[in-house]
Amino acid sequence: MSQNGKNPLQTGITRRDFIKTSAVVGGTLAIAASVNSAFEQVAEMSRAANKAHAAGAYPLNDPEHIIYSVCLQCHTGCTIKGKVLDGVLVKIDGNPYSPMNMLPHLSYDTPLADAARVDAKLCPKGQAGVNSLYDPYRITRVLKRAGARGENKWEVIPFDQAINEIVNGGTFADGTKTPGLKDIWAVRDPDLMAELKADAMAVASGDMTLDEFKSKHAAHLDLLIDPDHPDLGPVNNQFVFQAGRIEHGRKEFAKRWLKNAFGS
């Protein structure tokens, strides 16, 4: 009964709502208790680590075991600190010098020995960079198709051989020959590229006949994929750059020679 003598179930709250509310409140308290317990465990681990460091038994708190870098697990590019033990990356945390990972961040004149003991926040995806680095299925060598297309047969080739075949062309195990980038990079004059493009569009729109196009560009027809279909563009268009997932930095580097050289 309430203080006014009324039954709480008679104040517009049904028994079902009362039970549901009680369950939510009870569950919230349980979660809060679990979070507090977890924080206490983390604090205890931190105190233990500090004691171990004081005794010289926790090397990951020493600056010589820390490498500062940038995370590439997503497009944000958070600043990170990697903890290396015996040449192996064992943990990734946020860079305490950076406002991306810590507010307020450490002053830039903080000694590395002091900063090494401060771990800034970093999302689970960033911390999973250790798994990405040592993934047993990660491709670490150059693979070349060793059978017919679609057979899923591969061979490992030296990096220098890969560069040579990509540039100068090569032959696959099934006898298929592929041109190199030097052969595909047919049109190298940007002014000529622009003129061929404009006239090809004119043919497509009906403002120029195919015969007029061929007559005008008779000296350059061998630079086209198909002179009878100038809208297909120059041989350069046979090159397709498919990066899949490419991060900033590498993307800008690729654009410098892709767009400026192949014009696509």
Side-chain angles (χ1 to χ4, degrees):
M1 299 293 290
S2 64
Q3 293 182 352
N4 58 13
K6 293 183 178 180
N7 189 320
L9 298 180
Q10 297 177 347
T11 60
I13 302 177
T14 66
R15 183 184 300 274
R16 182 183 299 274
D17 291 337
F18 180 77
I19 294 175
K20 289 168 63 177
T21 302
S22 300
V24 170
V25 173
T28 302
L29 294 176
I31 293 174
S34 299
V35 171
N36 289 334
S37 176
F39 283 166
E40 290 174 0
Q41 293 182 46
V42 171
E44 180 60 32
M45 292 173 61
S46 178
R47 287 190 290 269
N50 288 333
K51 291 180 181 179
H53 178 265
Y58 189 66
L60 295 183
N61 270 351
D62 296 330
E64 58 265 32
H65 292 281
I66 304 296
I67 295 179
Y68 293 91
S69 185
V70 176
C71 179
L72 294 179
Q73 294 288 89
C74 79
H75 287 282
T76 304
C78 289
T79 51
I80 57 176
K81 55 183 291 189
K83 300 179 179 179
V84 180
L85 185 63
D86 297 330
V88 177
L89 178 66
V90 295
K91 185 69 169 67
I92 300 177
D93 289 300
N95 183 347
Y97 288 107
S98 172
M100 293 183 68
N101 304 93
M102 177 175 283
L103 285 175
H105 61 86
L106 296 182
S107 173
Y108 293 140
D109 58 6
T110 302
L112 292 176
D114 295 336
R117 302 178 65 180
V118 180
D119 296 334
K121 61 180 173 60
L122 186 68
C123 78
K125 191 172 186 178
Q127 297 181 38
V130 176
N131 304 73
S132 299
L133 179 62
Y134 297 116
D135 187 340
Y137 295 102
R138 182 184 182 190
I139 298 177
T140 58
R141 293 177 292 178
V142 180
L143 298 180
K144 179 182 178 181
R145 179 162 57 85
R149 185 180 296 276
E151 285 187 338
N152 199 28
K153 294 181 179 180
W154 307 91
E155 62 176 332
V156 176
I157 63 174
F159 187 78
D160 290 343
Q161 177 185 344
I163 294 297
N164 179 65
E165 294 189 10
I166 290 172
V167 174
N168 298 310
T171 304
F172 289 102
D174 62 355
T176 302
K177 294 184 178 181
T178 58
L181 293 181
K182 70 177 183 62
D183 299 314
I184 298 177
W185 189 22
V187 182
R188 306 188 182 189
D189 182 353
D191 294 332
L192 176 59
M193 177 77 81
E195 186 177 359
L196 288 171
K197 177 182 177 181
D199 290 343
M201 294 178 64
V203 173
S205 64
D207 296 329
M208 175 184 287
T209 67
L210 180 59
D211 290 337
E212 290 174 339
F213 178 91
K214 286 185 175 182
S215 176
K216 180 178 180 180
H217 299 287
H220 305 123
L221 295 181
D222 60 321
L223 303 179
L224 300 176
I225 294 177
D226 185 351
D228 291 328
H229 298 86
D231 55 308
L232 295 178
V235 175
N236 304 44
N237 285 356
Q238 294 182 98
F239 171 75
V240 177
F241 178 72
Q242 183 175 353
R245 179 176 177 271
I246 185 170
E247 296 293 345
H248 291 288
R250 287 176 286 183
K251 178 174 66 176
E252 283 73 19
F253 174 76
K255 283 182 177 180
R256 288 184 63 183
W257 66 275
L258 288 176
K259 286 191 172 183
N260 295 338
F262 284 87
S264 177

